[in-house]
Amino acid sequence: MSSPKTSVESGITPNAASATSQSSPPAGRQATDPVSNVHQDTEDYDMQHLAGDDPDNLYAQVLENAASPSDRPDTSRSASQILYLGETFNLTHLLHQTSPNRQQYAHKLHYALPLKPRDGLGFQGSHENTALSELLRLQHVFDIPRVEICHELFRVYFKYVHPHYPILDRWDFAFRYQDLSNPPSYLLLQAVLFMAAGHCETSLLYDVGFTSRYDARLTWFKRARALYDADYESDQVTIVQSLFLMSFWWNSLTDQKDTWYWLGNSISLATTLGMHRSTRHSDLSLSDQRLWKRIWWSLFTEDKHAAAALGRPVHIRMRDCDVEPLKETDFDEVALPNVDVFGAQEMVHVLYVISLSDLSKILERVVEKAFVSQNQMSLITIETLRDLQATLEDWAARLPRDLQLRSGSDCLWTNNLHIAHSWFQILVHRSIRPRNATDVEREESYQGAMKAASQMVRIVEELLSSRRIQQCPIHIAPALFAAMGMHAIDICSGDVMREQLGTIKIRLSMIALRELKSTWPVSGGIFLLFTKIVRQIRDQGYLTLGEEQPRSFSSQSTPGPINTGTVTNNEVPTAEASGNRSKQSDINLSQPQESQVNSNSDGVVWDPLAISMPFSFPADWNNDADESLWSGPDLDFWMMPHGEGNTY
């Protein structure tokens, strides 16, 4: 990678960097001037400096402050001055018992602390301070692009990222980052640049000195990670925001520190701050209360998507939280003069975030019902599936008009919302396994999943046609994976029409994955998997069958022989065998704990938990360097990577 141009290389001075006029903060908001040295962070606070620089006085200071509410410190400067005390914490009980205003503190869990500003870096000791500072400099964590490039990246961030994850105070960010040569938080800045690099024009990244979009995102992610690992930032809310943005680095399916890791760290710190609890009775200002709610519901939503995508239990459970649902007033903000850089709130953005958070509450129930122990399997009935499906349908019916799906809709947020809805419908029908379902009910469930998968592909086609696919959030990758898994059933069905339609839908989905790979690298793993599938079908013209093959999904099928043979890679199927494939086999279903064939019928019913890829992959199936994948004129036109220079 060529070394990116930095602010120093560009000759940026504080005066030159201040491209926008520095306006006075609105009433009730205290301004925070940018720092004049990279070693200083004006809003960092150190618990070591509390009450005579003695951390052992922390609890005593909380008790003293609670006894004198009139001397409560101003919290408008930083929400990180708030200490959360849960109900079972001993200090909470002591405060409630000894405070003269016992009634006032009955429901209070967040307390203001008069912390002193910390000097220097977050790590302790002058020698260690100097050594780590030099190490960070060698990693270029303080390098920033030219001011005009930063402004363009900010514009992209607030146009495509912030509407989906409104975790920043737009006014506060704009005011603090007017002087781009000396921003208050390098950690947050690098995280924002990392996210913006996934959606901007690649020509902008080439101008900085990067060789590709992947190169830019990896570089800015590594800089943010280096600052986090060095404890450079001590403002805890800023760390929560930065970790949340860093969780969107998902390089491969085998990453140890993947999206789940970074998201879990962000949620853990947010819980430590008490963001999972109502702040109505706290010392937080109204603007900070609203910011905390937006951060928490963004964490909640992303947690549910990640859990569903990875098949893991959620970090956050609704029963552990009492944060109020989002309202339109939680998005109220002060108007900015430089809207061309930092954007402005639109009502469709507000409705989108609120609707997505409501949809994620349903997803928690889906994940919970799909993730059950063996001794609870009998509790999952057809009524469970129907209830979840009805809840999803009711959610869609109650959507505001601006977010209802209409043919030819070019609203990015409407399309994103319905991609998520289709994904969750697939999960309901595929992952919820009722024990008392009849053959007809199983067939209806299968059709419901296929309908949702087809709708998702239609939406993706619209996004590709309008060249907006790279503006989608990371959720589109696992959502497409789910839809393609359903269409893989069709291409193995033995029905010529279903095979052709399924192939078309998978190819279209792969075009989307190809375009998404530079923004969301994990898309490449899914792309490669289905490349192998299509190649095997293309090269062999038949499926590698398992030891026992059912004939059809439909319970209405006429009984017939089941092919129990296995075709090896060295065998060439005869014309008769190829011609009879549709009569013998539809798909290879793995053998679950219970038989896939209903005892009351000779037909084979759809078992959503029994789906597996009907192929025997070679040991190197995940080798991205397999050049033979790209051979064949029938595949080249849609498999070859699209030029990165295109704008979106």
Side-chain angles (χ1 to χ4, degrees):
M1 183 194 82
S2 59
S3 177
K5 304 172 186 176
T6 67
S7 58
V8 176
E9 294 170 346
S10 305
I12 299 297
T13 64
N15 291 333
S18 187
T20 54
S21 60
Q22 187 164 336
S23 57
S24 301
R29 300 292 296 270
Q30 182 168 342
T32 303
D33 294 328
V35 297
S36 59
N37 190 288
V38 296
H39 296 106
Q40 184 178 5
D41 220 333
T42 59
E43 289 201 357
D44 287 344
Y45 289 86
D46 193 343
M47 301 293 289
Q48 298 274 349
H49 293 284
L50 174 65
D53 296 338
D54 186 357
D56 293 336
N57 285 324
L58 173 62
Y59 290 171
Q61 186 69 25
V62 173
L63 193 64
E64 179 182 351
N65 186 62
S68 306
S70 60
D71 298 330
R72 190 174 63 198
D74 178 19
T75 63
S76 61
R77 293 172 300 157
S78 174
S80 64
Q81 297 176 91
I82 299 296
L83 178 67
Y84 167 70
L85 304 178
E87 288 88 347
T88 60
F89 191 35
N90 291 332
L91 183 57
T92 306
H93 174 75
L94 190 60
L95 283 172
H96 291 174
Q97 294 301 315
T98 61
S99 173
N101 304 309
R102 186 178 306 177
Q103 196 69 24
Q104 175 185 348
Y105 291 97
H107 303 288
K108 188 174 182 179
L109 299 172
H110 304 81
Y111 296 84
L113 293 179
L115 301 181
K116 296 180 180 179
R118 163 193 79 124
D119 296 324
L121 297 170
F123 30 80
Q124 302 302 314
S126 58
H127 175 72
E128 185 180 9
N129 188 326
T130 302
L132 284 177
S133 176
E134 182 60 27
L135 179 61
L136 291 175
R137 286 180 178 278
L138 291 175
Q139 297 180 76
H140 302 284
V141 299
F142 305 118
D143 292 353
I144 55 177
R146 300 191 308 271
V147 60
E148 62 271 16
I149 293 179
C150 277
H151 281 174
E152 176 60 20
L153 289 170
F154 291 163
R155 184 193 68 80
V156 170
Y157 177 88
F158 282 99
K159 183 175 182 180
Y160 298 124
V161 180
H162 185 78
H164 196 85
Y165 313 108
I167 63 170
L168 302 182
D169 182 320
R170 194 193 307 261
W171 185 93
D172 182 65
F173 184 92
F175 181 79
R176 294 171 66 185
Y177 286 86
Q178 287 185 77
D179 185 352
L180 296 178
S181 65
N182 296 297
S185 173
Y186 281 97
L187 174 62
L188 184 58
L189 174 59
Q190 300 290 7
V192 167
L193 294 178
F194 155 71
M195 287 296 287
H199 304 281
C200 69
E201 298 181 8
T202 51
S203 59
L204 190 69
L205 303 177
Y206 297 151
D207 193 32
V208 179
F210 296 112
T211 59
S212 66
R213 188 185 304 278
Y214 178 88
D215 182 21
R217 297 187 78 243
L218 178 60
T219 298
W220 277 320
F221 172 79
K222 285 184 174 180
R223 291 175 182 175
R225 185 176 64 185
L227 287 165
Y228 172 73
D229 290 340
D231 293 330
Y232 184 83
E233 178 64 58
S234 64
D235 185 297
Q236 292 181 307
V237 174
T238 299
I239 296 173
V240 169
Q241 295 166 322
S242 302
L243 285 174
F244 176 77
L245 296 179
M246 291 168 64
S247 73
F248 293 96
W249 177 253
W250 192 3
N251 188 46
S252 75
L253 299 172
T254 58
D255 279 352
Q256 179 185 8
K257 295 182 178 179
D258 58 2
T259 184
W260 189 258
Y261 172 86
W262 296 108
L263 180 62
N265 284 349
S266 182
I267 292 172
S268 178
L269 181 55
T271 305
T272 300
L273 292 173
M275 286 189 178
H276 64 299
R277 305 303 305 275
S278 173
T279 58
R280 283 182 300 177
H281 304 286
S282 72
D283 294 333
L284 282 167
S285 65
L286 179 60
S287 61
D288 281 331
Q289 289 183 39
R290 291 171 172 174
L291 176 63
W292 278 36
K293 281 182 66 176
R294 298 199 308 271
I295 293 175
W296 180 253
W297 282 112
S298 294
L299 289 169
F300 179 92
T301 298
E302 189 58 29
D303 178 47
K304 304 303 171 284
H305 283 81
L310 298 172
R312 300 174 186 173
V314 298
H315 291 101
I316 304 170
R317 298 180 302 179
M318 287 184 61
R319 62 175 177 268
D320 297 328
C321 316
D322 61 358
V323 181
E324 298 82 1
L326 287 170
K327 301 181 297 183
E328 293 181 13
T329 54
D330 292 323
F331 297 82
D332 290 347
E333 57 184 23
V334 180
L336 291 171
N338 45 356
V339 177
D340 56 325
V341 175
F342 298 101
Q345 192 76 265
E346 298 180 21
M347 181 53 63
V348 68
H349 299 160
V350 175
L351 297 176
Y352 169 77
V353 174
I354 293 175
S355 298
L356 188 61
S357 66
D358 290 339
L359 183 60
S360 299
K361 297 174 187 176
I362 304 174
L363 180 57
E364 178 175 333
R365 294 174 53 194
V366 176
V367 173
E368 180 183 4
K369 296 300 182 183
F371 185 79
V372 293
S373 60
Q374 292 299 319
N375 60 353
Q376 293 179 313
M377 292 295 287
S378 60
L379 301 178
I380 306 302
T381 65
I382 189 62
E383 287 73 24
T384 304
L385 188 150
R386 287 174 175 171
D387 178 62
L388 289 172
Q389 180 62 23
T391 304
L392 285 171
E393 292 174 355
D394 180 64
W395 172 89
R398 291 186 292 105
L399 282 175
R401 179 177 175 80
D402 290 345
L403 294 177
Q404 292 178 2
L405 187 63
R406 295 184 294 273
S407 178
S409 173
D410 61 351
C411 177
L412 176 65
W413 311 109
T414 297
N415 288 329
N416 282 333
L417 197 60
H418 286 275
I419 286 176
H421 180 249
S422 297
W423 176 24
F424 302 162
Q425 286 183 309
I426 294 174
L427 292 181
V428 167
H429 292 292
R430 189 192 68 188
S431 303
I432 306 300
R433 188 182 185 187
R435 289 300 183 180
N436 62 338
T438 65
D439 293 356
V440 173
E441 289 167 336
R442 289 177 184 270
E443 177 68 18
E444 289 176 352
S445 184
Y446 161 70
Q447 294 298 336
M450 292 301 299
K451 180 180 178 181
S454 296
Q455 175 170 282
M456 187 189 303
V457 172
R458 285 193 293 269
I459 297 174
V460 168
E461 182 180 7
E462 293 287 344
L463 290 169
L464 285 168
S465 299
S466 60
R467 306 187 67 78
R468 306 192 73 179
I469 193 69
Q470 280 192 331
Q471 298 167 7
C472 294
I474 194 173
H475 308 153
I476 193 173
L480 273 172
F481 197 173
M484 294 168 75
M486 296 304 304
H487 295 311
I489 299 173
D490 273 350
I491 66 174
C492 308
S493 65
D495 182 290
V496 175
M497 182 61 69
R498 286 174 60 188
E499 285 182 0
Q500 292 177 346
L501 291 174
T503 301
I504 291 172
K505 292 172 183 177
I506 284 184
R507 287 189 172 191
L508 192 147
S509 299
M510 291 183 69
I511 294 174
L513 290 174
R514 181 196 66 193
E515 298 299 311
L516 289 166
K517 186 177 180 181
S518 64
T519 300
W520 309 119
V522 72
S523 302
I526 305 171
F527 178 86
L528 182 58
L529 171 64
F530 281 91
T531 299
K532 293 283 187 175
I533 294 175
V534 174
R535 184 186 68 170
Q536 188 148 353
I537 296 174
R538 178 200 65 187
D539 293 346
Q540 298 178 352
Y542 57 87
L543 306 182
T544 302
L545 305 178
E547 292 185 355
E548 183 173 352
Q549 290 292 330
R551 294 169 293 95
S552 172
F553 286 112
S554 175
S555 59
Q556 311 299 325
S557 301
T558 303
I562 295 179
N563 187 338
T564 59
T566 299
V567 181
T568 66
N569 291 339
N570 296 325
E571 296 175 349
V572 179
T574 64
E576 181 181 2
S578 299
N580 291 335
R581 176 161 59 91
S582 63
K583 300 179 182 179
Q584 295 177 349
S585 168
D586 278 357
I587 189 170
N588 176 31
L589 301 182
S590 60
Q591 300 299 320
Q593 294 183 356
E594 293 191 4
S595 173
Q596 303 166 71
V597 183
N598 190 292
S599 59
N600 296 325
S601 172
D602 291 330
V604 177
V605 297
W606 183 57
D607 189 337
L609 292 188
I611 297 176
S612 67
M613 290 301 174
F615 305 98
S616 300
F617 294 119
D620 67 338
W621 74 271
N622 59 345
N623 182 6
D624 217 346
D626 185 357
E627 296 296 335
S628 65
L629 280 175
W630 315 103
S631 62
D634 57 328
L635 301 180
D636 285 345
F637 81 97
W638 59 274
M639 281 189 174
M640 291 305 294
H642 199 268
E644 271 202 313
N646 293 282
T647 61
Y648 292 87

